[in-house]
Amino acid sequence: MISWPAPFIPEVPGTGHPPQLFDSSTRALRAVNPGPTARMYVCGITPYDATHLGHAATYVTFDVLGRALRDAGHDVVYVQNITDVDDPLLERARRDGVRWQDLAAEEIALFREDMTALGVLPPDHYVGVVESIEPVAAAVRSLVARGAAYEVDTPESSAGSDLYLDLSTEPGFGAVSNWTRAEMLAVFADRGGDPDRAGKRDALDPLLWRAAREGEPSWTAAGLPAGRPGWHIECTAIALDHLGMAFDVQGGGTDLIFPHHEMSATQAVALTGERPFARTYAHQAMVGLDGEKMSKSKGNLVLVSKLRADGVDPMAIRLVLLEQHYRTEWSWTPELLTRAQDRLDTWRAALSVNAGPDVTEVVEAVRRCVADDLDTPGALRAVDRWAKQCLTRGGPDAGAPGVLARTIDAVLGVRV
Ligand code: 5CA
Ligand code: ZN
């Protein structure tokens, strides 16, 4: 799939520090310690509605991680999927009387525009499920061949049996979330699972392949009934295809810790006999509106595209997101946007003077903050301090404003 245009990353003197990230799996800070090339997979959108501030927070968070890794001297291979065939997309298309392909294409186009406006670096591989049927089918066939999958009866009108993963064959199950079974069962149905499906061996077993039903899209793949991929196996197959095992960071929102990232990893371990799937699992806390999680299914959305259409500077939106630490839940308010716009105006004023205070310390502070579990609020405060000093007392260094402008552009993705 085509992604979106890459923004220019300016050169900054010196190098950044190797980032540490909170790993949801071990619940501890962990050094992201890649070789020359860092490998990152972040779960992409299900394109049935427009990008809201929660999605934007997730992609900006991992954008900052990618920038920090680059600034620390790594190449980055970044993979993102698109869940461009799944129940919520098909249901929304049916409700609105449009083709599911058209709905997906429209929402993906809008997402690209939103990401471009927010200065998010594009993934190197932007991969739709509809482009990945063969690798997904191969993964399902391999799980069947290993005795890790089983059939569940379907209505007579369908093309054959559905296939599920038998979690009892997978001793590594649970290693990503480290949740109790009760915790897993409490959210499974709400997050795309089907605990009550008759014929399953265990309530938590995930769907691998759904045999075609009347009126639903399907693909033919050797050895499988005509059908379509389950959700988790799509990310397993795409990640393995483009990154292999033991890649550096698996990212997404906290709503994906279980079941999505748990199942994706369990399946990858089952397929390869190796572990881990990802070395670090990092998750963006949920962004809300009026105290409730912002979600397409609830419809309580603040859309990036709507804010842009209202004339809001996308860099002010980005500053709202960066002002929050990614591991803290928060709710969108208009006051946050006003404050971010004021901050942007102040930074622009300070960075457009001919000479200012020395920036060695503030550049180092920005780098230290992002390397410290993506402490973007700390990085913004460091720039605020310099801007205030610059505007109140001035400074002698003619190169300073330019170096700092390039730093916040390269490391924080903020263009002043
Ligand atoms: N297609 C799947 C992942 S394979 C999916 O979860 N799509 S999504 O469109 O629902 O979400 C896209 C990304 O935004 C996911 O990483 C998800 O965890 C994250 N996300 C969704 N809602 C929020 C929210 N309210 N706050 C923060 N992140 C969110
Ligand atoms: Zn995913």
Side-chain angles (χ1 to χ4, degrees), residues 96-157:
D96 295 352
V98 295
R99 292 172 70 233
W100 61 273
Q101 297 95 326
D102 294 341
L103 176 59
E106 204 175 297
E107 298 302 350
I108 294 166
L110 193 56
F111 179 71
R112 289 189 184 106
E113 281 176 25
D114 289 339
M115 292 298 107
T116 306
L118 290 173
V120 172
L121 299 174
D124 302 279
H125 304 279
Y126 192 43
V127 191
V129 179
V130 299
E131 301 173 307
S132 311
I133 300 298
E134 197 33 54
V136 172
V140 175
R141 280 195 296 270
S142 171
L143 290 170
V144 171
R146 279 157 205 267
Y150 62 93
E151 297 187 349
V152 170
D153 285 346
T154 48
E156 277 186 8
S157 56

Side-chain angles (χ1 to χ4, degrees), residues 43-46 52 54-55 58-59 81 83 231 234-235 252-256 260 284-287 293-294 296:
C43 281
I45 55 164
T46 307
H52 60 61
H55 304 134
T58 290
Y59 299 115
N81 70 302
T83 308
W231 173 27
E234 118 201 6
C235 282
T254 50
D255 58 339
L256 299 185
H260 186 55
Q284 161 71 44
M286 288 296 106
V287 177
K293 174 189 166 186
M294 209 180 270
K296 289 180 284 204

